[in-house]
Amino acid sequence: MAQGLYQTQEQKLQQLQRLSQQQMLQVKLLEMPIAELEDAVNAEINDNPALETGRNDDVVPDDSTDNGDSEEDFERREEQDERKDELDSALERMGSDDEMPSYENYNNNKDNADYEEIVYGDTTSFIDKLNEQMNTCELTPKQHDIMEYLIGSLDDDGLLRKDLGTISDELAIYHNVDASEKEIESTLRILQTFDPAGIGARSLQECLQLQVARRQNSNLKDLMMRVLGPLYDDFIKNHWDKIRAQLGLNDVQTKALQDEIRKLNPKPGASMGETMGRNTQQITPDFIVDTADDGTVTFTLNSGSIPQLHVSPAFTEMLSAYKDNKKGMNRQAKEALLYAKEKVDKAQGYIEAIRQRRHTLTVTMQAIIDIQKKFFQDGDEADLKPMILKDVADRTGLDISTVSRVSNIKYAQTKWGTFPLRFFFTDSYTTGDGEEFSTRKIKLALKDIVDKEDKSQPLSDEALAAAMKDKGFPIARRTVAKYREQMDIPVARMRRQ
């Protein structure tokens, strides 16, 4: 019997989560470090005449007879007068026979040189230049996501300090991208072809090798690759006598080789110059952490030059006046009401987003201090406890993605120096007996053993594992090898002197 085709109608309930405009604004401001936030707030003040600085109760009345006003009071009143004039002119334009200005007409003015200067400024970030190069590559959607994350993970020198396993985990957790280490490495190889040469390297050695690899084939190139390859251990120890003997060079040839290697740039990200660098200015900490003599740890948020914000009284009064007289409103009055309402709502939303940002940063930093209090008290990196994003999220009630945004490109000034927030996060290692250690502490202990070993008979990974066990860190040989590679410590034969 023939099977027929039937058309059926099915009703399905699906829950979709979309961020509102207010939530998107909060996320955007949350990600900004303090220096960037200052610029954003100033831009918003200039853009929205309903947003004013200073407290409402700080404004001196116009009929005041006190001639002893401060310069700050005078500037504030002057700013309010300017904004009132701006409002009046906007309302006059709305009351004319012309239609309200359209975004389409505004956007058609993009060819104007003044417009370009306002939008783009006179600097292009190092990240933007890499993204421009990425957009010229033929990448699959998945490769594009991976590349974007790799570029965002580069440090200020343009190097990739994260291991590929961590990047794979972060892509899966935070971006829902399932990428293997092999796929990430393949995309990283493409990034390493970008300019400047050396970008995306995972170590100083790889950074220098990538730069030499772009040179035309020559005997000098071969010699440089040998120095930065098999002879790299002698190179970083400045043992040029050994290098000279290994390569069979005379004094003049050795000097020429040294000069060429010195031309290589160990910090390709910083080589893009002041107008193109990521951030050549001094780091501005977002948190100021203070440790008292009795061990009490407190902190304050760095508000920088961000002023206190409030909604313009002129706008709120006008809004109330129009709302009280809705009957018989003409077209001009309705447009004025809509204009005022839009600006007031936007100003209130911006003020709330700033307040929410302060709250989120405060509870996050407090949680970090509570967990890592010992470090803030004595400054010993070995005292950092295992702490991941989830630990802070559980303490604060925030989402993991929110904690991630707070921890990205923000810094804390402490008694022991200024650190990026991500410095305080460290994975844990659990032994077979169930004992948990911070991977940071394990790596410091491993480095200490390697630094103190007899360089004429350096320890193998197996011997290092035994020495670590004696120190109270019973970790496997393969774990020793993994951490040794992450710290760019060569194998035993390469450490022999």
Side-chain angles (χ1 to χ4, degrees):
M1 188 174 178
Q3 294 285 334
L5 294 176
Y6 297 94
Q7 187 176 26
T8 61
Q9 188 175 26
E10 181 181 327
Q11 188 176 30
K12 185 164 82 171
L13 182 65
Q14 185 177 8
Q15 186 176 13
L16 297 175
Q17 185 176 16
R18 290 189 175 90
L19 293 178
S20 66
Q21 270 194 321
Q22 181 65 19
Q23 288 172 321
M24 289 172 68
L25 174 63
Q26 289 177 357
V27 167
K28 183 180 176 183
L29 297 184
L30 187 62
E31 290 177 332
M32 292 180 182
I34 184 64
E36 190 178 336
L37 182 66
E38 289 176 3
D39 293 337
V41 170
N42 288 329
E44 187 68 19
I45 292 170
N46 292 329
D47 182 62
N48 187 355
L51 189 65
E52 291 186 350
T53 61
R55 292 181 178 274
N56 283 320
D57 52 12
D58 287 341
V59 179
V60 180
D62 291 339
D63 58 354
S64 171
T65 56
D66 182 7
N67 293 323
D69 295 344
S70 68
E71 185 179 348
E72 184 182 352
D73 292 332
F74 176 77
E75 289 177 354
R76 186 158 52 230
R77 283 207 307 277
E78 191 177 54
E79 180 188 3
Q80 287 179 332
D81 290 340
E82 287 176 2
R83 288 182 176 275
K84 189 174 184 305
D85 292 340
E86 185 179 347
L87 169 62
D88 291 339
S89 355
L91 295 179
E92 281 175 18
R93 288 196 302 271
M94 289 180 181
S96 68
D97 293 333
D98 298 330
E99 291 296 322
M100 292 178 66
S102 69
Y103 289 107
E104 183 179 351
N105 292 335
Y106 178 76
N107 288 334
N108 285 339
N109 202 27
K110 284 184 179 178
D111 293 333
N112 184 288
D114 292 338
Y115 172 87
E116 288 194 0
E117 184 178 350
I118 292 168
V119 175
Y120 297 106
D122 60 355
T123 60
T124 305
S125 77
F126 143 34
I127 297 297
D128 289 340
K129 297 304 289 185
L130 293 178
N131 282 331
E132 285 175 13
Q133 295 178 70
M134 173 182 69
N135 292 332
T136 64
C137 296
E138 293 184 4
L139 303 173
T140 65
K142 187 174 185 179
Q143 284 179 316
H144 186 279
D145 289 341
I146 296 171
M147 179 73 80
E148 204 168 44
Y149 195 78
L150 286 172
I151 290 174
S153 298
L154 300 178
D155 66 12
D156 290 333
D157 295 337
L159 304 188
L160 183 67
R161 302 293 185 182
K162 291 182 180 178
D163 64 87
L164 300 188
T166 299
I167 291 175
S168 177
D169 293 340
E170 291 178 352
L171 279 168
I173 295 170
Y174 307 127
H175 298 275
N176 201 28
V177 176
D178 184 14
S180 66
E181 290 186 33
K182 188 175 180 181
E183 288 175 304
I184 296 170
E185 183 161 17
S186 174
T187 307
L188 178 61
R189 294 298 179 197
I190 300 173
L191 172 59
Q192 290 175 346
T193 65
F194 290 4
D195 291 324
I199 211 79
R202 288 162 287 182
S203 64
L204 174 61
Q205 182 179 13
E206 186 178 28
C207 175
L208 301 178
Q209 287 174 332
L210 288 170
Q211 294 175 54
V212 176
R214 294 198 189 185
R215 291 182 169 226
Q216 291 186 345
N217 291 332
S218 65
N219 184 48
L220 178 59
K221 176 182 177 180
D222 293 340
L223 290 172
M224 293 175 76
M225 290 302 281
R226 287 183 66 186
V227 171
L228 299 174
L231 302 177
Y232 185 71
D233 195 46
D234 290 326
F235 167 69
I236 59 175
K237 292 183 175 67
N238 208 27
H239 292 168
W240 278 97
D241 52 341
K242 293 184 179 180
I243 294 173
R244 176 185 167 182
Q246 288 278 349
L247 300 179
L249 304 176
N250 58 35
D251 289 343
V252 175
Q253 292 169 325
T254 303
K255 178 70 166 57
L257 180 58
Q258 285 178 318
D259 290 343
E260 284 303 308
I261 290 179
R262 287 195 185 103
K263 292 177 184 177
L264 301 177
N265 189 355
K267 300 179 179 181
S271 73
M272 301 177 98
E274 187 173 353
T275 59
M276 292 167 62
R278 171 185 282 188
N279 223 340
T280 54
Q281 64 190 28
Q282 186 178 1
I283 289 171
T284 304
D286 298 85
F287 306 92
I288 312 296
V289 183
D290 180 62
T291 304
D293 293 338
D294 63 358
T296 303
V297 183
T298 57
F299 76 96
T300 55
L301 286 181
N302 181 6
S303 297
S305 59
I306 297 173
Q308 289 188 307
L309 304 172
H310 69 264
V311 180
S312 164
F315 269 77
T316 52
E317 288 168 11
M318 185 187 71
L319 199 57
S320 298
Y322 277 119
K323 283 182 177 178
D324 292 340
N325 297 281
K326 284 187 177 179
K327 292 182 179 180
M329 288 177 67
N330 58 26
R331 179 174 175 270
Q332 178 186 357
K334 287 179 181 178
E335 287 176 349
L337 173 62
L338 290 173
Y339 176 81
K341 186 178 186 307
E342 177 195 350
K343 295 301 181 183
V344 168
D345 287 347
K346 193 175 180 185
Q348 289 173 337
Y350 203 84
I351 292 169
E352 173 58 24
I354 293 289
R355 188 202 65 77
Q356 185 62 44
R357 179 186 185 274
R358 288 197 190 104
H359 170 73
T360 304
L361 262 61
T362 299
V363 297
T364 301
M365 191 67 215
Q366 187 59 61
I368 292 173
I369 289 175
D370 290 343
I371 296 172
Q372 305 293 12
K373 188 173 182 180
K374 190 78 170 67
F375 170 82
F376 289 103
Q377 290 175 331
D378 58 28
D380 188 348
E381 189 177 346
D383 285 333
L384 286 172
K385 295 181 179 179
M387 183 182 79
I388 58 176
L389 295 172
K390 187 176 183 301
D391 296 326
V392 177
D394 289 344
R395 276 183 176 251
T396 59
L398 300 171
D399 189 82
I400 290 179
S401 63
T402 301
V403 178
S404 176
R405 288 186 173 96
V406 173
S407 307
N408 191 31
I409 60 172
K410 290 186 182 64
Y411 291 80
Q413 178 182 306
T414 76
K415 186 177 180 180
W416 320 106
T418 300
F419 302 91
L421 282 200
R422 58 180 178 268
F423 169 83
F424 304 111
F425 291 84
T426 175
D427 292 331
S428 63
Y429 176 87
T430 305
T431 66
D433 298 331
E435 193 171 0
E436 187 179 50
F437 295 99
S438 159
T439 55
R440 190 82 62 86
K441 193 169 185 176
I442 294 174
K443 287 180 180 180
L444 288 171
L446 179 59
K447 184 177 184 302
D448 183 60
I449 292 172
V450 171
D451 288 344
K452 293 177 179 177
E453 70 182 356
D454 180 359
K455 296 302 179 185
S456 64
Q457 292 182 320
L459 301 172
S460 65
D461 288 346
E462 192 171 345
L464 286 173
M468 287 291 289
K469 186 176 181 181
D470 292 341
K471 270 200 161 193
F473 301 100
I475 61 175
R477 182 199 59 78
R478 62 180 179 275
T479 306
V480 167
K482 174 185 171 183
Y483 291 162
R484 176 179 54 71
E485 289 170 2
Q486 288 177 1
M487 292 188 291
D488 289 332
I489 298 175
V491 293
R493 60 185 175 80
M494 296 295 292
R495 303 199 304 273
R496 182 175 288 110
Q497 294 181 12

